[in-house]
Amino acid sequence: MLKALEDAGVKPDLIVGSSVGSMVGALYAAGMSARELERLAYEINMLQFFEFRTLDGGLATGGAIQNYVDSKVGGLAIEQLKIPFVAAATRMSDGKIALFNHGDTGLAVRASGASPGEFEPVRIGDQTYEDGDEASPVPIEVARRLGAKVVIAVDVSAFVEDTPKTAPVEWIAKDARRARQVALEAKDADVVIHPNIGYYAGQSEAYRRRVIAIAERVAREKIPAIHAALARAGEFPAQTASMARMPSGEASR
């Protein structure tokens, strides 16, 4: 998706990421190009995120993810990134969305992607946080609240109609919940990019190449609509969002 936007001359001036989208968003906000991110995706060895505690059924801490992100952004705090960035997580005390816009970048990403059942909740200050997907899988309303004139939303969730009969019941319930949440916010996006990358995720390089190619193709098909939205907002061709303000959010310290 980012490759398609770059080639079309579309440059975001605000990035909001939830769950794994916060990792991609943070690295892009730090200055990596779309093609650099693509190369990074092919080079990732999943073993570098492995934690032995999971062998006995324990939950991963996500510490390796935090260290990975911090190393890739050169230790920069969120407020030091080249593009304004917000990582969305779910605050467990009330189940509401929490926005990290200053502090440790890797820690914010770790909290944003702490998927229940796979990762321990992340404690920051006097609160604990889990995957932003629980509160807002595609945080479109957040982008609007932060002043975005044009919102390009990226949804990488599974297509409900493609759910295999063998899918676990809890997966089906989660997919239905996610679809409802995305639909509620989608009306506030100018363009929604939702590539059908298949139901099951994979770790092989072949899988990564396939889904990146699919997403790029779908994003390129949306470029005319994106240009039209930017033109209507008077932002064409340089920007996708113009922030009126950046209100105080959570600090990942």
Side-chain angles (χ1 to χ4, degrees):
M1 185 275 294
L2 291 172
K3 286 166 60 181
L5 293 183
E6 283 187 357
D7 289 348
V10 178
K11 300 178 181 179
D13 61 12
L14 168 66
I15 298 172
V16 183
S18 183
S19 197
V20 72
S22 68
M23 176 186 283
V24 177
L27 300 183
Y28 196 66
M32 282 193 178
S33 70
R35 284 167 175 79
E36 287 173 330
L37 278 171
E38 182 179 24
R39 287 194 295 272
L40 194 66
Y42 298 149
E43 294 169 0
I44 283 180
N45 181 348
M46 297 303 293
L47 289 177
Q48 67 193 105
F49 304 112
F50 175 75
E51 297 184 36
F52 282 102
R53 57 169 38 216
T54 61
L55 291 176
D56 296 325
L59 299 177
T61 67
I65 292 173
Q66 177 180 344
N67 294 336
Y68 178 83
V69 172
D70 279 334
S71 69
K72 294 302 180 183
V73 303
L76 294 177
I78 297 174
E79 64 268 27
Q80 296 174 314
L81 300 177
K82 294 182 178 180
I83 302 173
F85 168 72
V86 175
T90 302
R91 188 169 46 243
M92 296 188 70
S93 61
D94 58 10
K96 294 183 178 180
I97 195 166
L99 307 178
F100 290 98
N101 62 7
H102 55 293
D104 187 317
T105 303
L107 182 56
V109 170
R110 175 182 174 184
S112 180
S115 181
E118 297 181 54
F119 293 93
E120 292 180 343
V122 177
R123 188 166 188 82
I124 301 174
D126 61 354
Q127 295 283 344
T128 54
Y129 302 88
E130 62 183 358
D131 200 329
D133 181 84
E134 297 297 306
S136 179
V138 186
I140 296 166
E141 292 181 359
V142 166
R144 287 293 187 197
R145 291 208 314 261
L146 294 175
K149 293 181 181 179
V150 177
V151 176
I152 302 170
V154 183
D155 178 11
V156 295
S157 62
F159 280 58
V160 174
E161 60 268 28
D162 292 342
T163 303
K165 295 181 180 179
T166 54
V169 174
E170 58 270 25
W171 288 17
I172 295 174
K174 184 175 182 177
D175 290 340
R177 184 265 299 169
R178 182 186 286 119
R180 289 193 301 270
Q181 289 173 303
V182 174
L184 285 173
E185 297 195 43
K187 65 183 183 302
D188 292 321
D190 293 276
V191 178
V192 177
I193 299 174
H194 188 190
N196 190 344
I197 57 178
Y199 190 81
Y200 292 107
Q203 298 181 3
S204 68
E205 181 178 335
Y207 170 82
R208 299 175 205 180
R209 290 186 178 278
R210 182 179 68 81
V211 299
I212 286 174
I214 291 171
E216 181 180 353
R217 174 180 55 77
V218 173
R220 291 190 186 282
E221 292 171 353
K222 294 283 189 176
I223 293 300
I226 292 170
H227 279 168
L230 291 170
R232 287 194 300 271
E235 299 289 340
F236 183 77
Q239 307 181 109
T240 61
S242 181
M243 293 197 304
R245 58 193 177 91
M246 175 62 87
S248 178
E250 308 284 341
S252 52
R253 296 188 177 95

